Amino acid sequence: MQSEQIKNSTFVRNIIKMKRVISLLIFAALLNSCDDGDLIQEDISFEDVAAQSCTTNGIIYKLKDNEALILEVLGFTFPTETVSQELNISTSNRVLYRFYNGAVTSTTICESIPPATPIVVDQWTTSGGKIVVNTTAVKTTNTTDNSTKITGYNHNITFKNITFVKSNGTQVYETFPFGDYVISATPLPLAFNKTLEQCSSSKQLYDYNSSEALILDIDPALIVNQATPLNTPRTGLISDIKNKLTYRLFSGLLTGAYFCNTTFPATPAVSEEWIAVAGVAKESGIIEVTTTSLGTGFKHTVVVKKAKMKKGSSDFILGDNYIYGELLTTN
């Protein structure tokens, strides 16, 4: 009798253990089932993938194997200055995450009639949130003279409080990085012949070609028909009043008739204007004029030292010793 009771007790304990094991297995399976969605969402990572764009529409995209992260911004022009902007996610500004049944290429995204394969097998749309674009200039530096040129603009794109809408629910990300989208820019030409001209009344100096001008409202005290001692140029600081230095790029043909008027004419239109920031004594934004006798006249060589040109929040540096040019005068 006692032996049978022991057997029954052992049998009951085994049943209880089996139930516990089965319960744990079911719980683990449920956990794995719940985690499936999270794992898919965590796999939305394109930070190490370079952004590309279609030439015929406002689509920017990233591709990875059979996945695509697509950003469509209609009517939005990416800025050419350092600035931060926000766009509301809407029908015009969309974010899509797509799965394909094969490797996806730019042709799949950009063609007005996409190829038959691969085909979209799943798509996540978005509702709510913002597209944040932080733009900074991409510069190259000439190590010989420390001048800089803007060669492009980097647009760092982040989605804020974005909601992905899937077939089985939604997923909200407080911050979702899309990454960098770089647009190249043609550096300013600065192709001057260094032969300066001067207005008779305002004494303004200028150098120009058919599309650009560099204008210096020079302090008249710096242009004197008297040779300067060796290594002792006349100097002044760039400011908004004296020695104002302005670069202009034009969208039309520029001629000498543009200069020395009471006001600058409306044509040709100015497409870009950069103004030098105020100079700091013995540090930056310095104008130097060296005058030498030249037959019956004088040659004034004007050098701009460490001037920073600025447009909005973007800037570039002319260099340590930028030779503005030479002005010839007579008594």
Side-chain angles (χ1 to χ4, degrees):
M1 183 69 178
Q2 185 178 1
S3 175
E4 289 181 1
Q5 289 177 345
I6 291 172
K7 288 180 179 179
N8 290 337
S9 177
T10 302
F11 178 77
V12 170
R13 284 198 301 269
N14 289 336
I15 291 295
I16 292 172
K17 287 181 179 179
M18 288 179 64
K19 287 183 177 180
R20 287 177 178 173
V21 170
I22 292 171
S23 297
L24 288 172
L25 289 174
I26 293 172
F27 182 68
L30 288 173
L31 284 178
N32 287 335
S33 175
C34 293
D35 282 346
D36 284 346
D38 291 338
L39 288 173
I40 292 174
Q41 290 155 20
E42 290 174 358
D43 285 340
I44 308 177
S45 177
F46 290 78
E47 292 183 71
D48 297 329
V49 180
Q52 305 176 66
S53 63
C54 300
T55 57
T56 57
N57 51 42
I59 292 179
I60 303 165
Y61 59 93
K62 289 188 170 187
L63 306 179
K64 186 176 64 174
D65 299 328
N66 64 332
E67 303 171 57
L69 183 60
I70 302 169
L71 170 62
E72 182 180 32
V73 282
L74 300 178
F76 176 72
T77 301
F78 283 91
T80 54
E81 61 178 316
T82 302
V83 67
S84 180
Q85 293 181 289
E86 287 189 358
L87 304 171
N88 290 321
I89 291 176
S90 63
T91 55
S92 298
N93 305 315
R94 302 190 300 159
V95 182
L96 302 174
Y97 178 43
R98 285 178 177 173
F99 303 84
Y100 292 81
N101 67 348
V104 60
T105 66
S106 58
T107 303
T108 310
I109 305 298
C110 296
E111 291 294 332
S112 56
I113 302 178
T117 58
I119 61 174
V120 178
V121 295
D122 194 11
Q123 175 173 285
W124 296 5
T125 59
T126 50
S127 66
K130 292 183 180 295
I131 303 167
V132 181
V133 182
N134 292 310
T135 302
T136 54
V138 178
K139 302 177 185 179
T140 59
T141 301
N142 184 325
T143 56
T144 301
D145 61 8
N146 291 318
S147 63
T148 60
K149 289 184 177 181
I150 296 175
T151 56
Y153 290 90
N154 181 68
H155 309 282
N156 181 264
I157 303 172
T158 303
F159 307 137
K160 296 288 187 181
N161 300 315
I162 187 172
T163 300
F164 282 98
V165 180
K166 311 180 298 177
S167 58
N168 61 345
T170 61
Q171 176 67 33
V172 179
Y173 289 90
E174 182 178 349
T175 301
F176 189 98
F178 179 82
D180 293 332
Y181 171 53
V182 180
I183 300 178
S184 61
T186 302
L188 298 173
L190 294 172
F192 300 108
N193 60 20
K194 309 294 185 180
T195 300
L196 303 180
E197 298 184 49
Q198 186 174 38
C199 299
S200 57
S201 56
S202 67
K203 303 303 180 183
Q204 185 179 75
L205 298 180
Y206 58 96
D207 193 5
Y208 73 99
N209 56 43
S210 61
S211 62
E212 56 181 347
L214 191 58
I215 304 165
L216 176 60
D217 294 315
I218 195 165
D219 180 357
L222 297 182
I223 303 295
V224 179
N225 287 339
Q226 182 179 343
T228 53
L230 184 64
N231 298 324
T232 311
R234 304 182 190 94
T235 62
L237 286 178
I238 292 174
S239 73
D240 289 336
I241 301 173
K242 289 183 178 181
N243 302 315
K244 180 178 180 180
L245 183 65
T246 304
Y247 171 87
R248 287 178 179 165
L249 184 67
F250 297 85
S251 58
L253 179 64
L254 179 65
T255 67
Y258 180 84
F259 305 94
C260 302
N261 299 290
T262 305
T263 58
F264 286 109
T267 55
V270 177
S271 58
E272 292 188 40
E273 181 177 80
W274 299 74
I275 299 175
V277 302
V280 178
K282 299 181 180 180
E283 290 187 15
S284 63
I286 301 167
I287 304 295
E288 289 188 349
V289 180
T290 301
T291 303
T292 57
S293 298
L294 189 66
T296 59
F298 296 88
K299 180 176 70 174
H300 310 274
T301 302
V302 183
V303 176
V304 180
K305 307 189 74 171
K306 299 181 179 179
K308 178 184 289 186
M309 308 299 294
K310 193 168 185 178
K311 176 175 70 74
S313 52
S314 298
D315 60 65
F316 68 92
I317 298 173
L318 282 176
D320 291 338
N321 294 279
Y322 177 80
I323 299 175
Y324 179 40
E326 297 177 345
L327 173 69
L328 302 178
T329 62
T330 56
N331 286 320

